[in-house]
Amino acid sequence: MIDFSKIECTGCTACASICNREVIQMDKDEAGFPVPRIVDVDRCIECGLCEKVCPYLNPKLEIKNEDEIAIIAQIKDSEIRKESASGGMFSAIALTVLGKNGIVFGAAYDDDFKVRHISVEKADDLWKLRNSKYVQSDLGNTFIEVKNHLNSGRLVCFSGTPCQVEGLASFLQKAYDNLILVDLTCHGIGSPLIWDKYLELAKNYSPKRIYFRWKHYGYKYSTMSYFDENGKEVYFKDVESDKMLRAYFTNSCDREACYNCKFKKRYRISDFTLWDCFQPVFFASDFDDDKGTSSVLINSNKGRKLLDDIISKKIVKYLYISPSDIVYGNNEMVNSVVQSSIRNDLLMDAKQMNAADLFEKYFPDQFYNRFRRLLRMLLLKSGLYRQVKYVIYKNRRSRTNKQN
Ligand SMILES: Cc1cc2nc3c(=O)[nH]c(=O)nc-3n(C[C@H](O)[C@H](O)[C@H](O)COP(=O)(O)OP(=O)(O)OC[C@H]3O[C@@H](n4cnc5c(N)ncnc54)[C@H](O)[C@@H]3O)c2cc1C
C-alpha cells in the first residue's frame, strides 16, 4: 500500500477510486484539501493497485511532441465568452462533445458554492463549468463515473488541473479513443478552508452566481464579481481589493504540492491545454478586443480531429500560431509558484479566527494596494491601461525566456 508520508499528494483520488475494498477513502485535511486516508488496513489484500495508479509514484514521461499544433481562439457567442475566464475555448470543446451525444466533466459550484466536479449532458447546463474557480475541486467519484461512461462507449470530456488529468489517466490504466482530456496552465490550487472563510463574507451579498474572473473592467483587468438572483452585479473587486483573489495571487493558500508541482509540463498527456492569451496583439491585432482570448495547444490526433469539428461548426474565431510562439513566456505552464511566508500562519489561524478578522490580519487594505488600485483606475480612465499592460507583458516574456 502507498506510504502517503512519502508522496506529495495532489488529492487526485486515483488511489481511493481504484481501491474497491474501500481501504482508502478521501477525507479533508485541516486546510480543507482532499486527502486519501487509510480507513481499514485489515481489509487491504496488498494488491498494489493504489501504488500502480498514483500519478506521483508513476510520473508520465514528458515526450517532445513534434505533431502538436496551436491556436488562439475566441468563441463567437458573446455571452459564453463573457462568462468564460479567457476566450471560451473550453465551451467550444464541450459543446462539440455534447453535440456528439457525449458527456462533459468539469468544476462547478454546488448550492453552497463549494467547488466540485460534476457531469453535464445538456448545453444549457454548461454555464456551471464556465470560468475559473481558484479553489481545489472535490472530485468525489468522478474517476469511476468517467470510466463507466467510457466502457459503455460514450464520448467523454474531462477537464481539470494538470494533476487531476494525469491522475485520471493513471487511474484508467489504458488509453481510450472516446476520451477527450482538457487541462489548463495552472497557477496553483487554493484552499477550500480559505474559500469557506471567504464565503462567510460573501454571503452578506446573497450571491446567486460568483465569478473569480469577471471582465468587469475588461479582460485585462478582471474582478471577483457576484450576481444576485436578478442577474444584477452586486459586488465587484479587483485583485488588489478582493480578499480571496489576494490570498490566491500572493500564493498564500495553495496546496503544499503546488509549490513543487510535478505536473506543470511543456508537453502534456492531455488532448488540449488551455490558458489565457492576455496579449493576442502579439499575434493579430483584430483579436485584441479585451473580451477574452484562449491560448490552445492541441496535443494529439484526437484533439486535432475535434478541432476540425469545432472549426467546421464555425463557432470559434481562431488563428494558427506556432507552438513555440504561443508558449513563449508562459511561466505558469512549467514553473511552480513560490510559497508565501504567511501561508502556514494563515491556514492555522483560519481554523479558529472569524472571517473578517482573519482577512483583515493577513490582507489589510494598505497604502500599496490602494496606490496600485488608483494607478490602475487612472490608467483605465485615461485609456492607457492596455498599452501599459502590453509593455509589462513584453518585458515579462523576454525575461521568462532568458531564465528558462
Ligand atoms: C485553478 C486554475 C488556475 C489557472 N491558472 C492559470 C495561469 O496561471 N495562467 C493562465 O494563463 N491560465 C490559468 N488558468 C486557465 C484559465 O484561467 C482558463 O481556465 C483557461 O484559459 C480556459 O478558459 P476558457 O475561457 O476556455 O474556459 P472557462 O469556461 O473559463 O474554463 C472553465 C474550465 O476550467 C475548469 N476549472 C475551473 N475551475 C477549476 C478548478 N478549480 N479545478 C479544476 N478545473 C477547473 C472547468 O472544469 C472548465 O473546464 C487557470 C485555471 C484554473 C482553474
Side-chain angles (χ1 to χ4, degrees), residues 80-81 83-91 105-108 115 117 129-137 159-161 164 182 184-190 213 215 219 248-249 264 274-278 293-295 330 332:
I80 295 181
R81 183 145 75 114
E83 277 189 346
S84 306
S86 64
M89 185 62 188
F90 162 71
S91 291
F105 289 82
V115 181
H117 260 63
L129 308 187
R130 277 184 206 118
N131 211 278
S132 301
K133 293 105 188 157
Y134 294 139
V135 181
Q136 180 152 21
S137 144
S159 141
T161 56
Q164 292 174 331
V182 180
L184 310 154
T185 281
C186 176
H187 184 89
I189 201 77
R213 295 272 307 273
K215 296 155 184 168
Y219 175 51
Y248 180 72
F249 283 109
K264 285 181 178 251
L274 308 180
W275 72 99
D276 283 285
C277 179
F278 286 116
T293 305
S294 304
S295 300
N330 186 351
E332 295 93 351

Side-chain angles (χ1 to χ4, degrees), residues 213-223 278 289-292 380 385-386:
R213 295 272 307 273
W214 190 253
K215 296 155 184 168
H216 183 93
Y217 300 114
Y219 175 51
K220 295 182 208 295
Y221 186 7
S222 63
T223 52
F278 286 116
D289 60 1
D290 207 19
K291 292 181 179 166
L380 201 69
Y385 193 76
R386 275 192 203 203

